[in-house]
Amino acid sequence: MIRRVILSVVSVLAALVLVAGCGGSSQVDCGLDGSCTITFPRSGDVAVSVLGVEARLVGVQDSTAQLEVAGQQITVPVGGETEASGFMVGVDRVTDSEVVVRVRIA
């Protein structure tokens, strides 16, 4: 029962994802499993509100992304995953033009 309520809340939050920023735009795709994939432009200052928290790409060095999730700064290499403020954050890929990040509730 609790799991259904959580999935319902996550689904509603996913439907209400707001994208804000300047210098480019991000794409957000959230699934019913409580995870979201964010495609950030590699350049520009773009933040998204996803699963009730703000996520922002701070920068990229080599194949490692510097992110800020719920006010916590983290560094995640491509293929890696780390915890930030109750969320698991992973980087799927870094290209010349974009950074693809996964965010899910820990």
Side-chain angles (χ1 to χ4, degrees):
M1 177 69 172
I2 291 175
R3 185 172 175 86
R4 286 185 189 161
V5 171
I6 290 172
L7 284 175
S8 295
V9 169
V10 168
S11 296
V12 169
L13 288 174
L16 297 175
V17 169
L18 300 174
V19 178
C22 58
S25 63
S26 297
Q27 294 179 343
V28 179
D29 182 32
C30 295
L32 295 177
D33 63 352
S35 68
C36 294
T37 301
I38 307 163
T39 303
F40 288 105
R42 187 165 172 158
S43 61
D45 183 20
V46 179
V48 297
S49 178
V50 62
L51 299 174
V53 298
E54 183 176 272
R56 183 171 68 89
L57 176 65
V58 176
V60 178
Q61 187 170 17
D62 299 321
S63 60
T64 301
Q66 296 170 310
L67 303 155
E68 184 175 311
V69 177
Q72 182 178 347
Q73 293 238 354
I74 56 173
T75 302
V76 185
V78 171
E81 188 175 62
T82 191
E83 192 272 333
S85 301
F87 294 88
M88 293 305 295
V89 181
V91 175
D92 286 345
R93 73 176 175 270
V94 173
T95 69
D96 291 340
S97 59
E98 66 185 21
V99 178
V100 179
V101 176
R102 280 176 288 100
V103 178
R104 64 181 171 86
I105 298 171

